[in-house]
Amino acid sequence: MERLIFHVDVNSAFLSWEAAKRVKEGLPDLREIPSVVGGDPKQRTGIVVAKSIPAKKYGIQTGEPMAMALRKCPNLVVVPSDFRLYTENSLAFKAICRDYAPVVESFSIDEVFLDMTGTSLIYPDPIATAHQIKDKIHEELGFTVNVGISTNKLLAKMASDFEKPDKVHTLFPAEIPEKMWPLPIRDLLFLGKASEKKLQDFGIHTIGELAREKESTIQALLGEKTGRQLYQYARGIDNSPVLAQAEESKGFSVEKTFNDDIVSVEQVLPILLEQCDIVATRMRRKGKKCSCISVTFRTLDFKNRSHQTSLSSATDVTDEIYENARRLFLEFWKGQPLRLIGVALTGLTDESFEQMSLFEDTKKKEQRQKLDATLDAIRMKFGNDKITRASIMNSNTGMGRKAKAQMENETQKRNKTDKKD
């Protein structure tokens, strides 16, 4: 049986959700005037999160500083982010989608995949069904979506990115030469800027040119794994399933954006230690260890730079993670003022076996493990903010709100489970 996959994508989600709410209140429709969702332009973190079509005509770009957007359009209407509103609307439109499909995968807050395979007796006309879903969301919730239809997730998502808003598009395998191959390679899903430049320097400018090249040539340009994946994507090949439940986390990460420039090592190191403490604690609660550590920082030109290191043996010890993160940062930071710093742990394993080095101070390692276990136990019982390491007490960064909320949520779930037992 041939697969049938829908991809449903909310049009300009954050702005549409805010606009729908305001229309109900009798206020002007943000989608019809130059408007953006974003932060305070006086703050360094004030950027454009979403924009209306009229705002786009002024050259306003998602991700640019709010001050720049206001220079382009002085009468721009700016509304703050409202994550409670976004969550409510996300749950609402996904609930409608679940009325139609036996398997629904949440791809992001404003995107879902529907596996409609085997529903032909109930919904004999896929295009008509997609229009029905789209129109129901608009009528009941007040905002529009695009629906892409194909035989796999890749093609369905690319189809939903065609002309917007409020459209249904197909991209079946027979339509690839006409609809997908003429597109510039930057439109290929998961193809990054670095890969785009390498391909363009080689003379490949469209998805079709990539698809018609030899796979070995693409692998030589982009690496064996990346080259093979992008070559298959260019030919419309994707066998990934629609998953009703999210896959287990492949890593743990935390990052923080700063209002003031970070310009010295003395400022950075307490932040790094605090972030390592956060992600290591979360990882230990899941019974995992990591074999790869990466550090990310963003400079004033809004460019992110990430560097990672692989460990000879997986670890869950905060101090070991911090020592590697510290070394990575000092090796690659050139002293530029920073806006953002982050740490990520990947290459997860739950194996208790550990390869010890002949030259490793096992006694010191055991002391560190006992310290981590003591901190974890205190935080689990009394809360995450009840104890911290002395070296970060005066960092003034505070635990990232998202990371802290995740840890608090895990603690509450654990406590409820313990009460039931």
Side-chain angles (χ1 to χ4, degrees):
M1 182 183 299
E2 189 172 50
R3 299 173 72 202
L4 180 64
I5 309 298
F6 287 7
H7 178 256
V8 184
D9 185 8
V10 180
N11 301 135
S12 301
F14 292 172
L15 188 129
S16 292
W17 291 336
E18 182 68 38
K21 183 191 76 170
R22 293 187 174 218
V23 167
K24 290 180 181 178
E25 296 170 350
L27 298 173
D29 191 335
L30 294 174
R31 292 163 292 195
E32 298 177 356
I33 60 176
S35 64
V36 297
V37 173
D40 186 343
K42 297 179 181 178
Q43 298 293 324
R44 284 294 187 95
T45 53
I47 62 172
V48 174
V49 176
K51 62 185 181 298
S52 66
I53 292 177
K56 186 177 180 180
K57 294 178 181 178
Y58 285 85
I60 294 172
Q61 302 292 324
T62 300
E64 73 178 351
M66 193 63 65
M68 185 181 297
L70 287 167
R71 284 197 294 271
K72 293 178 180 178
C73 180
N75 296 323
L76 187 69
V77 176
V78 179
V79 296
S81 300
D82 183 348
F83 290 100
R84 178 173 295 181
L85 174 69
Y86 305 157
T87 300
E88 291 174 356
N89 280 276
S90 177
L91 293 173
F93 99 86
K94 290 176 183 179
I96 291 176
C97 292
R98 288 189 177 91
D99 289 339
Y100 289 85
V103 181
V104 176
E105 177 183 345
S106 293
F107 190 63
S108 69
I109 193 171
D110 59 347
E111 299 175 79
V112 289
F113 287 105
L114 313 185
D115 192 339
M116 303 293 289
T117 307
T119 63
S120 58
L121 294 179
I122 306 173
Y123 307 115
D125 186 340
I127 296 176
T129 302
H131 277 281
Q132 188 177 343
I133 295 171
K134 174 182 73 67
D135 295 342
K136 185 175 183 180
I137 291 172
H138 189 201
E139 291 166 7
E140 295 189 8
L141 303 177
F143 55 86
T144 62
V145 301
N146 264 38
V147 182
I149 307 172
S150 191
T151 56
N152 63 43
K153 291 165 69 174
L154 167 80
L155 296 177
K157 179 164 173 56
M158 291 205 62
S160 70
D161 284 335
F162 292 162
E163 184 188 358
K164 298 180 179 182
D166 199 26
K167 303 288 185 181
V168 171
H169 298 285
T170 63
L171 182 54
F172 292 111
E175 298 175 302
I176 289 175
E178 176 187 354
K179 292 185 176 182
M180 190 171 92
W181 281 356
L183 298 175
I185 54 171
R186 70 173 63 93
D187 289 350
L188 182 62
L189 197 61
F190 301 128
L191 189 145
K193 290 184 178 180
S195 295
E196 178 189 356
K197 186 177 187 308
K198 290 178 181 178
L199 292 170
Q200 287 184 333
D201 289 345
F202 186 75
I204 296 174
H205 300 281
T206 67
I207 297 176
E209 289 172 344
L210 172 57
R212 288 186 286 267
E213 187 55 75
K214 291 182 179 179
E215 182 177 356
S216 58
T217 302
I218 304 304
Q219 288 179 309
L221 286 171
L222 306 179
E224 184 177 351
K225 183 177 179 180
T226 300
R228 176 174 177 76
Q229 182 183 59
L230 292 177
Y231 177 77
Q232 289 184 328
Y233 283 176
R235 299 172 70 87
I237 300 170
D238 171 34
N239 298 316
S240 60
V242 176
L243 302 173
Q245 298 295 327
E247 291 185 287
E248 185 176 4
S249 176
K250 296 182 179 179
F252 298 88
S253 63
V254 64
E255 61 184 31
K256 183 172 179 63
T257 304
F258 302 94
N259 292 335
D260 300 314
D261 295 341
I262 301 297
V263 296
S264 70
V265 171
E266 290 74 21
Q267 289 175 291
V268 170
L269 296 187
I271 296 168
L272 272 182
L273 176 55
E274 184 178 29
Q275 292 181 330
C276 290
D277 195 22
I278 290 170
V279 289
T281 300
R282 288 172 52 205
M283 183 174 66
R284 287 192 296 270
R285 289 185 180 181
K286 296 294 185 181
K288 302 291 185 180
K289 294 183 179 182
C290 68
S291 59
C292 184
I293 299 168
S294 63
V295 172
T296 299
F297 53 86
R298 181 183 301 159
T299 50
L300 300 187
D301 56 5
F302 286 96
K303 292 182 178 179
N304 282 8
R305 293 164 173 80
S306 296
H307 304 283
Q308 67 180 35
T309 184
S310 296
L311 309 180
S312 58
S313 180
T315 185
D316 61 0
V317 178
T318 295
D319 284 340
E320 290 182 6
I321 292 169
Y322 169 64
E323 286 169 2
N324 281 278
R326 179 180 183 276
R327 176 178 55 79
L328 272 175
F329 181 82
L330 294 177
E331 284 179 359
F332 293 101
W333 186 48
K334 305 303 181 185
Q336 318 97 304
L338 303 179
R339 291 177 179 266
L340 174 147
I341 299 173
V343 174
L345 311 180
T346 54
L348 302 183
T349 178
D350 54 9
E351 295 180 357
S352 57
F353 172 79
E354 187 172 346
Q355 180 68 48
M356 303 295 289
S357 167
L358 292 174
F359 305 102
E360 188 171 6
D361 188 338
T362 56
K363 185 175 180 180
K364 184 177 182 181
K365 187 180 184 73
E366 289 175 359
Q367 290 174 340
R368 290 175 165 182
Q369 290 173 329
K370 288 179 180 178
L371 173 61
D372 286 339
T374 301
L375 291 174
D376 291 349
I378 293 172
R379 288 167 173 166
M380 186 70 71
K381 186 172 182 180
F382 299 105
N384 296 306
D385 57 348
K386 294 300 184 288
I387 188 168
T388 190
R389 295 169 186 262
S391 54
I392 60 176
M393 285 184 64
N394 299 318
S395 68
N396 294 322
T397 62
M399 188 177 293
R401 285 182 297 173
K402 181 178 179 182
K404 184 175 181 180
Q406 288 174 322
M407 293 170 71
E408 294 289 359
N409 186 46
E410 290 166 6
T411 300
Q412 291 172 5
K413 288 181 179 179
R414 183 74 62 86
N415 290 339
K416 288 181 181 178
T417 302
D418 292 343
K419 289 179 181 180
K420 289 180 181 179
D421 293 340

